Amino acid sequence: MALQASKIQVGDTHTQKLTDDLSRTQIVQYAGASGDYNPLHTDEIFTKEIANYPTVFAHGMLTMGMTGRMVTDYVGDGRLTAYGVRFTRQVWPGDALTATATVDAVREEDGQSVVDLSVSTVNQDGDVVVMGKATAKIDP
Amino acid sequence: MAAKKFPIEAGHIMMFARAVGDPNPIYHDADAAADTEPGNVIAPPTFYQSSAQYDPDYFLRPKIGEAWFGSGKNPTGVPPKRTGGDGGTGLHAEQRFEYFRHVSPGETLTIKTRPGNTWERQGKRGGKLTFSENITEYFDESGELVVRATGVGVRTEKVVESD
């Protein structure tokens, strides 16, 4: 079911928990599926000893992909026309992530109802890890 | 160079959706997807990034028979790449997608990439930051643009400290 313009207004929010405890294995899964095998995401020894980070961290695109679930669950399947984020903070194994969409505008474009959303995902400390925008075609 | 052709496959979409933690049947169950508005399995919004799998030269995938910069016997298999100063690294700063249509398994997309803008900024934690855009466009078999992806990479002078 797609979102309906008549049932939402500017300022409405939709929040979804993405994970309680991001596992290293999920990061490995993402490396395998996406093809981004950068050792910074999966190789603790390289990441600590060569790259000088405290531990491996998630691909930004994993956080964006997880956040995308919240967006498509809200607007409906196949409805997105734009989705973009900035990666504002690293996501580490063990992080808990919660994503929120906020309705910025409900408008008509060539007779089609459209919603503009602000999107952000925060970690367990309330720090924003990704923030951005999404636009979707919705029902009247 | 990037991949030139990106075959959209059901198994790849299923694995990608699992990896991003999305249980929506439209990404893995063709029968369930038939009853949805799109009527087919479709690709999740960020799936297009996985076209890297089809890039023969993608530098973040180990190549058969070649040394890899991740750990094996030693913490790195090759001398660390240019990192600029104090171990700084390249990171993904921003990613945007524009969708003209959502694609389904069985399609093969053709990919064209081009560089976008480049700019610099002084960072609070990582020294000087150099940003560069890369634009990737995905076309279907009839030559229609289906997705445009714009990535922004940032290179830092120093390791980014976490709080």
Side-chain angles (χ1 to χ4, degrees):
Chain A
M1 277 291 284
L3 198 59
Q4 289 176 268
S6 58
K7 300 211 171 138
I8 55 170
Q9 45 191 334
V10 171
D12 282 0
T13 60
H14 169 77
T15 295
Q16 228 170 291
K17 176 149 269 193
L18 304 178
T19 180
D20 283 324
D21 180 0
L22 181 70
S23 67
R24 287 172 175 77
T25 304
Q26 184 169 357
I27 299 172
V28 169
Q29 276 185 291
Y30 187 78
S34 69
D36 179 347
Y37 300 96
N38 191 333
L40 287 174
H41 305 305
T42 57
D43 184 336
E44 186 86 7
I45 294 169
F46 171 87
T47 303
K48 280 184 160 166
E49 297 186 22
I50 302 297
N52 299 317
Y53 286 94
T55 183
V56 295
F57 51 93
H59 307 71
M61 289 305 298
L62 171 54
T63 310
M64 184 181 189
M66 294 172 75
T67 302
R69 175 194 175 190
M70 177 281 294
V71 178
T72 51
D73 281 356
Y74 186 44
V75 302
D77 296 328
R79 293 302 192 110
L80 270 186
T81 58
Y83 175 37
V85 300
R86 283 192 297 122
F87 305 104
T88 54
R89 185 174 288 267
Q90 280 153 314
V91 171
W92 305 97
D95 277 359
L97 301 176
T98 303
T100 300
T102 305
V103 175
D104 284 345
V106 186
R107 56 194 173 84
E108 292 253 321
E109 201 175 278
D110 303 326
Q112 167 73 54
S113 297
V114 170
V115 65
D116 295 315
L117 304 170
S118 285
V119 173
S120 71
T121 295
V122 297
N123 64 17
Q124 62 282 355
D125 300 320
D127 294 323
V128 175
V129 294
V130 300
M131 62 185 306
K133 302 275 185 191
T135 299
K137 294 178 186 175
I138 56 174
D139 287 341
Chain B
M1 67 169 258
K4 288 189 174 130
K5 296 280 182 188
F6 180 22
I8 307 300
E9 295 171 346
H12 193 190
I13 290 175
M14 177 187 74
M15 289 189 287
F16 187 91
R18 282 179 181 161
V20 297
D22 194 331
N24 190 336
I26 200 165
Y27 302 133
H28 63 84
D29 182 339
D31 292 337
D35 293 332
T36 63
E37 182 181 81
N40 273 310
V41 168
I42 59 172
T46 62
F47 177 74
Y48 303 91
Q49 197 77 0
S50 66
S51 61
Q53 296 279 15
Y54 294 92
D55 177 354
D57 301 320
Y58 189 56
F59 75 111
L60 294 174
R61 179 180 65 245
K63 307 297 183 305
I64 296 164
E66 292 180 22
W68 173 240
F69 69 103
S71 67
K73 281 192 196 107
N74 300 307
T76 180
V78 297
K81 296 199 167 177
R82 183 196 84 77
T83 52
D86 178 26
T89 40
L91 295 172
H92 200 172
E94 186 173 342
Q95 182 70 37
R96 300 189 294 274
F97 295 96
E98 296 159 78
Y99 308 98
F100 304 95
R101 182 167 77 70
H102 292 270
V103 302
S104 292
E107 299 191 53
T108 298
L109 305 183
T110 300
I111 298 176
K112 289 182 186 158
T113 60
R114 55 191 161 91
N117 297 325
T118 300
W119 66 96
E120 286 182 357
R121 194 162 59 95
Q122 198 61 35
K124 288 192 290 266
R125 294 182 294 168
K128 190 178 77 178
L129 307 172
T130 305
F131 294 84
S132 55
E133 269 182 351
N134 188 53
I135 297 160
T136 308
E137 291 178 316
Y138 299 82
F139 298 87
D140 67 14
E141 279 141 283
S142 58
E144 292 292 318
L145 177 63
V146 291
V147 174
R148 181 185 296 121
T150 303
V152 181
V154 60
R155 187 155 278 284
T156 62
E157 282 182 320
K158 296 187 292 190
V159 165
V160 178
E161 289 156 26
S162 73
D163 295 334

